[in-house]
Amino acid sequence: CGKSLAAKTIAREWRLPLLKLDAGRLFDKYIGETERNFRKAIDVAESCAPAVLWIDELEKAIAPGGDSDGGLSRRLFGSFLTWLQEKTAPVFVVATANDLAQLPPELLRKGRFDEIFFVDLPQADEREQILRIHLGLRRQDPQVFDLAALAEGTDGFSGAEIEQAVVASLLGALQAKTPLTTERLLAELRATVPLSVTRAEDVRALRASAQGRFVPVR
């Protein structure tokens, strides 16, 4: 969780422009157009250098597929590998992915992607900060809420799930024409089943695969 936000934060911390590569717009039904679109995208990124190039959900965007597309995805993947290896322009590539098992090992080796980070679910102090942010963004004073109790009640929640709980609670308060309270927020949290519960096996598998292999983000 928080992968896209991490990519945006990198560009902000480095004070560089952030460019997002929308892989879906690269593909074209006409022969040769997809490769041409990729070259144009790379040319734009290099013309903006130094810059951060963000590729979201890399395993769905640029990964070698089968032969159902006439080898197009393989050619595009090969072009991407070559560019990563040989580029000289200061374009820093940040890619996010949910399932690295779908990516071939030659893409993940040093020299192409220098480091692989694992972004786990937020801890209690981080959940408290997330609550402060989303309450403040919606003109709620965080000081009037029991943030420690709310942080405990959001154990296992991602940042996005915490945000949606705040939004749902606020809508309920508006409908009831009452102020938003800690009790209403806690009731909404108890009614929410996070992905860490509905997909508990997948979360455990991700954590196990990341243990000792990837750099933890904390």
Side-chain angles (χ1 to χ4, degrees):
C1 62
K3 302 180 301 299
S4 300
L5 185 59
K8 296 174 183 178
T9 301
I10 290 171
R12 181 175 180 178
E13 288 294 317
W14 290 359
R15 298 182 181 181
L16 295 178
L18 177 66
L19 310 175
K20 182 178 180 181
L21 177 62
D22 186 353
R25 298 183 63 179
L26 293 178
F27 291 89
D28 196 286
K29 63 181 178 179
Y30 296 108
I31 296 175
E33 285 300 311
T34 299
E35 293 92 331
R36 187 177 304 166
N37 290 339
F38 176 73
R39 289 193 295 271
K40 286 181 180 178
I42 295 306
D43 288 343
V44 169
E46 292 186 338
S47 68
C48 296
V52 175
L53 178 63
W54 169 32
I55 306 174
D56 198 19
E57 296 191 342
L58 182 64
E59 75 274 28
K60 299 176 183 177
I62 300 178
D67 296 322
S68 58
D69 58 359
L72 175 60
S73 59
R74 293 180 184 276
R75 294 195 300 274
L76 186 62
F77 177 72
S79 298
F80 179 61
L81 281 186
T82 301
W83 177 72
L84 278 181
Q85 183 68 36
E86 299 182 356
K87 68 181 179 69
T88 56
V91 177
F92 304 95
V93 181
V94 178
T96 62
N98 291 310
D99 186 4
L100 290 183
Q102 296 185 29
L103 296 172
E106 62 266 28
L107 177 62
L108 305 178
R109 72 167 176 79
K110 294 282 187 177
R112 284 168 179 155
F113 285 104
D114 297 315
E115 209 66 78
I116 301 175
F117 299 91
F118 176 66
V119 188
D120 206 339
L121 293 167
Q123 296 179 348
D125 59 329
E126 295 166 336
R127 295 195 300 272
E128 187 171 326
Q129 293 181 47
I130 293 170
L131 284 160
R132 286 182 184 275
I133 290 170
H134 288 299
L135 287 169
L137 286 174
R138 289 158 183 86
R139 300 181 180 179
Q140 304 296 309
D141 183 5
Q143 302 299 326
V144 305
F145 295 90
D146 188 348
L147 293 178
L150 291 172
E152 183 179 352
T154 53
D155 186 24
F157 281 58
S158 67
E161 289 168 334
I162 294 173
E163 178 184 8
Q164 290 309 307
V166 171
V167 171
S169 300
L170 188 56
L171 289 174
L174 289 173
Q175 186 177 18
K177 297 182 180 179
T178 59
L180 181 61
T181 63
T182 298
E183 290 70 25
R184 181 178 287 276
L185 266 168
L186 287 173
E188 181 63 35
L189 293 172
R190 286 192 292 268
T192 302
V193 182
L195 277 175
S196 63
V197 174
T198 59
R199 302 291 296 273
E201 296 81 3
D202 293 332
V203 173
R204 283 197 296 269
L206 279 171
R207 284 172 170 161
S209 66
Q211 188 69 31
R213 300 182 186 180
F214 311 135
V215 179
V217 176
R218 280 288 174 234

